[in-house]
Coordinates of all heavy atoms in Angstrom, one line a residue:
D1 N 0.9 -1.2 0.0 CA 0.0 0.1 0.0 C 0.8 1.3 0.0 O 1.8 1.4 0.8 CB -0.9 0.0 1.2 CG -1.8 1.1 1.2 OD1 -2.2 1.6 0.1 OD2 -2.2 1.6 2.4
F2 N 0.7 2.2 -0.9 CA 1.4 3.4 -1.0 C 0.8 4.6 -0.3 O 1.5 5.6 -0.3 CB 1.6 3.7 -2.5 CG 2.3 2.7 -3.3 CD1 1.5 1.7 -4.0 CD2 3.7 2.4 -3.2 CE1 2.2 0.6 -4.8 CE2 4.2 1.4 -3.9 CZ 3.6 0.6 -4.7
S3 N -0.3 4.5 0.4 CA -0.9 5.5 1.2 C -1.2 6.9 0.3 O -0.9 7.9 0.9 CB 0.0 5.9 2.4 OG 0.3 4.7 3.2
L4 N -1.5 6.7 -0.9 CA -1.9 7.8 -1.7 C -3.3 8.4 -1.2 O -4.2 7.7 -0.8 CB -2.1 7.5 -3.2 CG -0.9 7.1 -3.9 CD1 -1.1 6.7 -5.4 CD2 0.2 8.3 -4.0
T5 N -3.4 9.7 -1.1 CA -4.6 10.3 -0.8 C -5.6 10.3 -1.8 O -5.2 10.1 -3.1 CB -4.4 11.9 -0.3 OG1 -4.0 12.6 -1.5 CG2 -3.4 12.1 0.8
K6 N -6.9 10.6 -1.6 CA -7.8 10.5 -2.6 C -7.6 11.5 -3.6 O -7.7 11.3 -4.8 CB -9.2 10.9 -2.0 CG -10.5 10.9 -2.7 CD -11.8 11.1 -2.0 CE -12.8 11.1 -2.9 NZ -13.4 12.4 -3.2
R7 N -6.9 12.7 -3.2 CA -6.7 13.8 -4.2 C -5.5 13.4 -5.0 O -5.4 13.7 -6.3 CB -6.4 15.1 -3.4 CG -6.3 16.3 -4.3 CD -7.5 16.5 -5.2 NE -8.1 17.8 -5.0 CZ -9.2 18.2 -5.6 NH1 -9.9 17.3 -6.2 NH2 -9.6 19.4 -5.3
E8 N -4.5 12.7 -4.5 CA -3.3 12.2 -5.2 C -3.8 11.2 -6.4 O -3.4 11.3 -7.4 CB -2.3 11.6 -4.3 CG -1.7 12.7 -3.5 CD -0.8 12.2 -2.3 OE1 -0.9 10.9 -2.1 OE2 0.0 13.1 -1.8
I9 N -4.8 10.4 -5.9 CA -5.3 9.4 -6.9 C -5.9 10.1 -8.1 O -5.9 9.7 -9.2 CB -6.3 8.5 -6.1 CG1 -5.2 7.5 -5.3 CG2 -6.9 7.5 -7.1 CD1 -6.0 6.6 -4.3
E10 N -6.8 11.2 -7.6 CA -7.5 12.0 -8.7 C -6.5 12.5 -9.7 O -6.7 12.5 -10.9 CB -8.4 13.2 -8.1 CG -9.6 12.6 -7.3 CD -10.3 13.5 -6.5 OE1 -9.8 14.7 -6.3 OE2 -11.4 13.4 -6.1
V11 N -5.5 13.1 -9.1 CA -4.4 13.7 -10.0 C -3.8 12.7 -10.9 O -3.6 13.0 -12.1 CB -3.3 14.5 -9.1 CG1 -2.2 15.0 -9.9 CG2 -4.0 15.7 -8.4
L12 N -3.5 11.6 -10.3 CA -2.9 10.5 -11.0 C -3.7 10.1 -12.1 O -3.3 9.8 -13.2 CB -2.5 9.3 -10.1 CG -1.5 8.3 -10.4 CD1 -0.3 8.9 -11.1 CD2 -1.2 7.5 -9.2
N13 N -4.9 9.9 -11.8 CA -6.0 9.5 -12.9 C -5.9 10.5 -14.0 O -5.9 10.2 -15.3 CB -7.4 9.5 -12.3 CG -8.2 8.3 -12.7 OD1 -7.9 7.9 -13.7 ND2 -9.0 7.9 -11.9
Q14 N -5.9 11.8 -13.6 CA -5.9 12.9 -14.7 C -4.5 12.7 -15.7 O -4.5 12.9 -16.8 CB -6.1 14.2 -14.2 CG -7.3 14.4 -13.2 CD -8.5 15.1 -13.9 OE1 -8.2 16.0 -14.7 NE2 -9.6 14.8 -13.6
I15 N -3.5 12.4 -14.9 CA -2.2 12.4 -15.5 C -2.3 11.1 -16.6 O -1.8 11.3 -17.7 CB -1.0 12.0 -14.6 CG1 -0.8 13.4 -13.7 CG2 0.3 11.6 -15.3 CD1 0.2 13.1 -12.5
S16 N -2.9 10.1 -16.2 CA -3.1 8.9 -16.9 C -3.8 9.1 -18.3 O -3.8 8.5 -19.3 CB -3.7 7.8 -16.2 OG -5.1 7.9 -16.0
Q17 N -4.6 10.2 -18.3 CA -5.4 10.7 -19.4 C -4.7 11.6 -20.3 O -5.2 12.1 -21.2 CB -6.8 11.2 -19.0 CG -7.6 10.3 -18.3 CD -8.8 10.9 -17.6 OE1 -9.2 12.0 -18.1 NE2 -9.3 10.5 -16.5
G18 N -3.4 11.9 -19.9 CA -2.6 12.8 -20.8 C -2.8 14.2 -20.5 O -2.3 15.0 -21.4
L19 N -3.5 14.7 -19.4 CA -3.7 16.1 -19.2 C -2.5 16.7 -18.6 O -1.7 16.1 -18.0 CB -4.9 16.2 -18.3 CG -6.1 15.7 -18.7 CD1 -7.2 16.0 -17.7 CD2 -6.6 16.2 -20.0
D20 N -2.3 18.0 -19.0 CA -1.2 18.8 -18.3 C -1.5 19.4 -17.0 O -2.7 19.3 -16.7 CB -0.7 19.7 -19.4 CG -1.6 20.8 -19.6 OD1 -2.5 21.2 -18.9 OD2 -1.5 21.4 -20.8
Y21 N -0.6 20.0 -16.4 CA -0.8 20.6 -15.0 C -2.1 21.6 -15.0 O -2.8 21.6 -14.0 CB 0.2 21.3 -14.4 CG 1.5 20.6 -14.1 CD1 1.6 19.1 -14.3 CD2 2.7 21.0 -13.4 CE1 2.7 18.3 -13.8 CE2 3.7 20.2 -13.1 CZ 3.7 18.9 -13.3 OH 4.8 18.2 -12.9
N22 N -2.1 22.4 -16.0 CA -3.1 23.4 -16.2 C -4.5 22.9 -16.3 O -5.6 23.3 -15.6 CB -2.8 24.5 -17.2 CG -1.7 25.4 -16.9 OD1 -1.5 25.7 -15.8 ND2 -1.0 25.8 -18.0
Q23 N -4.6 21.8 -17.1 CA -5.9 21.1 -17.4 C -6.3 20.4 -16.0 O -7.6 20.6 -15.7 CB -5.7 20.1 -18.4 CG -5.6 20.7 -19.8 CD -5.2 19.7 -21.0 OE1 -4.2 19.0 -20.7 NE2 -5.8 19.8 -22.1
I24 N -5.4 19.8 -15.5 CA -5.7 19.1 -14.1 C -6.2 20.2 -13.2 O -7.2 20.0 -12.4 CB -4.5 18.5 -13.6 CG1 -4.1 17.2 -14.5 CG2 -4.8 17.8 -12.3 CD1 -2.9 16.5 -14.3
S25 N -5.5 21.3 -13.0 CA -5.9 22.3 -11.9 C -7.3 22.9 -12.3 O -8.1 23.1 -11.2 CB -4.9 23.4 -12.0 OG -4.9 24.2 -13.1
E26 N -7.7 23.0 -13.5 CA -9.0 23.5 -13.9 C -9.9 22.5 -13.4 O -11.0 22.7 -13.0 CB -9.0 23.9 -15.3 CG -8.4 25.2 -15.6 CD -8.4 25.4 -17.3 OE1 -9.4 24.8 -17.9 OE2 -7.6 26.1 -17.7
N27 N -9.7 21.2 -13.9 CA -10.6 20.0 -13.6 C -10.8 19.9 -12.1 O -12.1 19.6 -11.7 CB -10.2 18.7 -14.2 CG -10.2 18.8 -15.8 OD1 -10.8 19.6 -16.4 ND2 -9.6 17.8 -16.3
L28 N -9.8 20.0 -11.2 CA -10.0 19.8 -9.8 C -10.1 21.0 -9.1 O -10.2 20.8 -7.7 CB -8.8 18.9 -9.4 CG -8.5 17.6 -10.1 CD1 -7.4 16.8 -9.5 CD2 -9.7 16.7 -10.0
F29 N -10.2 22.1 -9.7 CA -10.3 23.5 -9.0 C -9.3 23.7 -8.0 O -9.5 24.2 -6.8 CB -11.8 23.5 -8.3 CG -13.0 23.3 -9.3 CD1 -13.6 22.0 -9.3 CD2 -13.3 24.2 -10.2 CE1 -14.6 21.8 -10.2 CE2 -14.3 24.0 -11.2 CZ -15.0 22.8 -11.1
I30 N -8.1 23.4 -8.4 CA -6.9 23.7 -7.6 C -5.9 24.4 -8.4 O -6.0 24.5 -9.6 CB -6.2 22.4 -6.8 CG1 -5.8 21.5 -8.0 CG2 -7.2 21.9 -5.9 CD1 -5.3 20.1 -7.4
S31 N -4.9 25.1 -7.8 CA -3.8 25.8 -8.6 C -2.8 25.0 -9.2 O -2.6 23.8 -8.7 CB -3.1 26.7 -7.7 OG -2.2 26.2 -6.8
P32 N -2.2 25.3 -10.3 CA -1.3 24.5 -11.0 C -0.1 24.2 -10.1 O 0.5 23.0 -10.0 CB -0.6 25.3 -12.0 CG -1.8 26.3 -12.3 CD -2.6 26.5 -11.1
S33 N 0.3 25.1 -9.0 CA 1.3 24.7 -8.1 C 0.9 23.7 -7.0 O 1.7 22.8 -6.8 CB 1.8 26.0 -7.3 OG 0.8 26.6 -6.6
T34 N -0.4 23.5 -6.8 CA -0.9 22.5 -5.9 C -0.9 21.2 -6.6 O -0.3 20.2 -6.1 CB -2.3 22.9 -5.5 OG1 -2.4 24.0 -4.8 CG2 -2.9 21.8 -4.5
V35 N -1.2 21.2 -8.0 CA -1.0 20.0 -8.8 C 0.4 19.5 -8.8 O 0.8 18.4 -8.6 CB -1.5 20.3 -10.3 CG1 -1.3 19.0 -11.2 CG2 -3.0 20.6 -10.4
R36 N 1.3 20.4 -8.9 CA 2.8 20.1 -8.9 C 3.2 19.5 -7.6 O 3.8 18.5 -7.5 CB 3.6 21.3 -9.2 CG 4.9 21.1 -9.6 CD 5.6 22.4 -10.2 NE 5.1 23.0 -11.4 CZ 4.4 24.0 -11.7 NH1 4.3 24.8 -10.7 NH2 4.0 24.3 -12.8
K37 N 2.6 19.9 -6.5 CA 3.0 19.4 -5.2 C 2.3 18.0 -4.9 O 3.1 17.3 -4.5 CB 2.4 20.4 -4.0 CG 2.9 20.1 -2.7 CD 4.4 20.4 -2.6 CE 4.9 19.7 -1.3 NZ 6.4 19.6 -1.3
H38 N 1.1 17.8 -5.5 CA 0.5 16.5 -5.5 C 1.4 15.5 -6.2 O 1.7 14.4 -5.8 CB -0.8 16.5 -6.0 CG -1.8 17.2 -5.1 ND1 -2.0 16.7 -3.8 CD2 -2.8 18.1 -5.3 CE1 -2.9 17.3 -3.2 NE2 -3.5 18.1 -4.0
I39 N 1.9 16.0 -7.4 CA 2.6 15.1 -8.4 C 4.0 14.8 -7.7 O 4.4 13.6 -7.7 CB 2.8 15.6 -9.7 CG1 1.5 15.7 -10.4 CG2 3.9 14.9 -10.5 CD1 1.5 16.4 -11.6
E40 N 4.6 15.7 -6.9 CA 5.9 15.5 -6.2 C 5.6 14.4 -5.1 O 6.4 13.4 -4.9 CB 6.3 16.6 -5.5 CG 7.1 17.7 -6.3 CD 7.4 18.9 -5.5 OE1 7.7 18.9 -4.3 OE2 7.5 20.0 -6.2
N41 N 4.5 14.6 -4.3 CA 4.1 13.5 -3.4 C 4.0 12.1 -3.9 O 4.4 11.1 -3.3 CB 2.9 14.1 -2.5 CG 3.3 15.2 -1.8 OD1 4.4 15.5 -1.4 ND2 2.3 16.0 -1.4
I42 N 3.2 12.1 -5.1 CA 2.9 10.9 -5.7 C 4.2 10.1 -6.1 O 4.4 9.0 -5.9 CB 2.1 11.1 -7.0 CG1 0.7 11.5 -6.6 CG2 2.1 9.8 -7.8 CD1 -0.2 12.2 -7.8
Y43 N 5.2 11.0 -6.7 CA 6.5 10.4 -7.0 C 7.2 9.8 -5.9 O 7.8 8.7 -5.9 CB 7.3 11.4 -7.7 CG 7.0 11.9 -9.1 CD1 5.9 11.3 -9.7 CD2 7.8 12.9 -9.8 CE1 5.6 11.7 -11.0 CE2 7.5 13.3 -11.0 CZ 6.4 12.8 -11.7 OH 6.0 13.2 -12.8
K44 N 7.2 10.5 -4.7 CA 7.9 10.1 -3.5 C 7.2 8.8 -3.1 O 7.9 7.7 -2.8 CB 7.8 11.0 -2.4 CG 8.8 12.1 -2.6 CD 8.8 13.0 -1.2 CE 9.5 14.3 -1.5 NZ 8.7 15.5 -1.0
K45 N 5.9 8.7 -2.9 CA 5.3 7.7 -2.4 C 5.3 6.4 -3.4 O 5.5 5.3 -2.8 CB 3.7 7.8 -2.3 CG 3.5 8.8 -1.1 CD 2.1 9.3 -0.8 CE 1.9 10.2 0.3 NZ 0.4 10.5 0.5
L46 N 5.3 6.5 -4.7 CA 5.5 5.4 -5.5 C 6.9 5.1 -5.9 O 7.0 4.0 -6.5 CB 4.7 5.7 -6.8 CG 3.1 5.9 -6.7 CD1 2.6 6.1 -8.2 CD2 2.5 4.5 -6.3
Q47 N 7.8 6.0 -5.4 CA 9.2 5.8 -5.8 C 9.6 5.8 -7.1 O 10.1 4.8 -7.7 CB 9.8 4.6 -5.0 CG 9.6 4.6 -3.4 CD 10.1 3.5 -2.7 OE1 9.9 2.5 -3.3 NE2 10.7 3.6 -1.5
V48 N 9.1 6.7 -8.0 CA 9.3 7.0 -9.4 C 9.8 8.3 -9.6 O 9.7 9.1 -8.6 CB 7.9 6.6 -10.2 CG1 7.6 5.1 -10.1 CG2 6.9 7.5 -9.7
N49 N 10.2 8.6 -10.8 CA 10.6 10.0 -11.1 C 10.1 10.6 -12.3 O 10.6 11.5 -12.8 CB 12.2 10.1 -11.2 CG 12.9 9.1 -12.1 OD1 12.0 8.5 -13.0 ND2 14.0 8.8 -12.1
N50 N 9.0 10.0 -12.8 CA 8.4 10.7 -13.9 C 6.8 10.1 -14.1 O 6.5 9.2 -13.4 CB 9.1 10.5 -15.4 CG 9.2 9.1 -15.8 OD1 8.2 8.3 -15.8 ND2 10.3 8.6 -16.2
K51 N 6.2 11.0 -14.8 CA 4.7 10.7 -15.0 C 4.4 9.2 -15.6 O 3.5 8.5 -15.0 CB 4.0 11.7 -16.0 CG 3.9 12.9 -15.3 CD 3.3 14.0 -16.3 CE 3.4 15.4 -15.7 NZ 2.9 16.4 -16.7
M52 N 5.2 8.8 -16.6 CA 5.0 7.5 -17.2 C 5.2 6.4 -16.2 O 4.2 5.5 -16.1 CB 6.0 7.4 -18.4 CG 5.9 6.2 -19.1 SD 4.7 6.5 -20.4 CE 5.3 5.3 -21.7
K53 N 6.3 6.5 -15.4 CA 6.4 5.5 -14.3 C 5.3 5.4 -13.4 O 5.0 4.4 -12.8 CB 7.9 5.6 -13.8 CG 9.1 5.3 -14.8 CD 10.4 5.4 -14.0 CE 11.4 5.2 -15.1 NZ 12.8 5.6 -14.4
A54 N 4.9 6.6 -12.9 CA 3.8 6.7 -12.0 C 2.6 6.1 -12.4 O 1.9 5.3 -11.7 CB 3.6 8.1 -11.6
V55 N 2.2 6.4 -13.6 CA 1.0 5.8 -14.2 C 1.1 4.2 -14.3 O 0.3 3.6 -14.0 CB 0.7 6.4 -15.6 CG1 -0.5 5.8 -16.3 CG2 0.2 8.0 -15.3
K56 N 2.2 3.8 -14.9 CA 2.4 2.4 -15.0 C 2.4 1.7 -13.7 O 1.7 0.6 -13.5 CB 3.9 2.2 -15.7 CG 4.0 0.9 -16.4 CD 5.4 0.9 -17.0 CE 5.7 -0.5 -17.7 NZ 6.9 -0.5 -18.3
K57 N 2.9 2.2 -12.7 CA 3.1 1.6 -11.4 C 1.6 1.6 -10.7 O 1.2 0.5 -10.2 CB 4.0 2.3 -10.4 CG 4.4 1.4 -9.2 CD 5.7 2.0 -8.6 CE 6.2 1.1 -7.5 NZ 7.5 1.6 -7.0
A58 N 1.0 2.8 -10.9 CA -0.4 2.8 -10.4 C -1.4 1.9 -11.0 O -2.2 1.2 -10.4 CB -0.9 4.3 -10.6
L59 N -1.2 1.7 -12.4 CA -2.0 0.6 -13.0 C -1.7 -0.7 -12.5 O -2.6 -1.6 -12.3 CB -1.8 0.7 -14.6 CG -2.4 2.0 -15.2 CD1 -2.0 2.2 -16.6 CD2 -4.0 2.0 -15.2
K60 N -0.4 -1.1 -12.5 CA 0.1 -2.4 -12.1 C -0.5 -2.7 -10.8 O -0.9 -3.9 -10.5 CB 1.6 -2.4 -12.1 CG 2.1 -3.6 -11.6 CD 3.7 -3.6 -11.5 CE 4.3 -4.9 -11.0 NZ 5.7 -4.8 -10.8
H61 N -0.6 -1.8 -9.9 CA -1.0 -2.1 -8.4 C -2.5 -1.7 -8.2 O -2.9 -1.6 -7.0 CB -0.3 -1.2 -7.4 CG 1.2 -1.7 -7.3 ND1 1.6 -2.9 -6.6 CD2 2.4 -1.2 -7.9 CE1 3.0 -3.0 -6.8 NE2 3.4 -2.2 -7.6
K62 N -3.3 -1.4 -9.3 CA -4.5 -1.2 -9.3 C -5.1 0.0 -8.4 O -6.0 -0.1 -7.8 CB -5.5 -2.5 -9.0 CG -5.3 -3.6 -10.0 CD -6.0 -4.9 -9.5 CE -6.0 -6.0 -10.6 NZ -4.8 -6.2 -11.3
I63 N -4.2 1.0 -8.4 CA -4.5 2.2 -7.7 C -5.6 3.1 -8.7 O -6.3 3.7 -8.1 CB -3.2 3.1 -7.5 CG1 -2.3 2.2 -6.5 CG2 -3.5 4.4 -6.9 CD1 -0.9 2.7 -6.3
I64 N -5.2 3.0 -9.9 CA -6.2 3.7 -10.9 C -6.7 2.7 -11.8 O -6.1 1.7 -12.0 CB -5.5 4.9 -11.7 CG1 -4.3 4.5 -12.3 CG2 -5.2 6.0 -10.6 CD1 -3.6 5.5 -13.2

């Protein structure tokens, strides 16, 4: 278990759809810098260093 928050999972889901920070921020009604912070936290928790690896790992472990 990676202990991702509900919001981090929402952000990860949006990343998996190929959306950029601005699109994600508009969809979730948060600022782009907040999106960036969520993504940093996701990378730390999943122990990855890019979006592709994060999405791949999340799918593998049925997080999204």
Side-chain angles (χ1 to χ4, degrees):
D1 183 31
F2 298 101
S3 303
L4 293 176
T5 64
K6 184 174 178 254
R7 189 54 124 186
E8 289 166 349
I9 293 169
E10 289 172 342
V11 170
L12 199 46
N13 222 333
Q14 303 257 326
I15 292 169
S16 74
Q17 295 169 30
L19 301 179
D20 65 28
Y21 289 8
N22 291 328
Q23 292 167 313
I24 295 170
S25 72
E26 286 174 23
N27 290 346
L28 300 180
F29 305 103
I30 56 180
S31 74
S33 61
T34 304
V35 172
R36 198 167 292 114
K37 191 68 192 159
H38 283 311
I39 291 172
E40 279 177 32
N41 293 337
I42 290 166
Y43 287 1
K44 274 188 206 139
K45 289 179 181 181
L46 294 181
Q47 298 177 326
V48 296
N49 56 11
N50 65 49
K51 291 178 187 175
M52 186 88 151
K53 288 179 184 171
V55 169
K56 197 171 176 182
K57 196 163 192 174
L59 289 169
K60 181 181 173 191
H61 292 278
K62 297 180 175 31
I63 296 168
I64 56 171

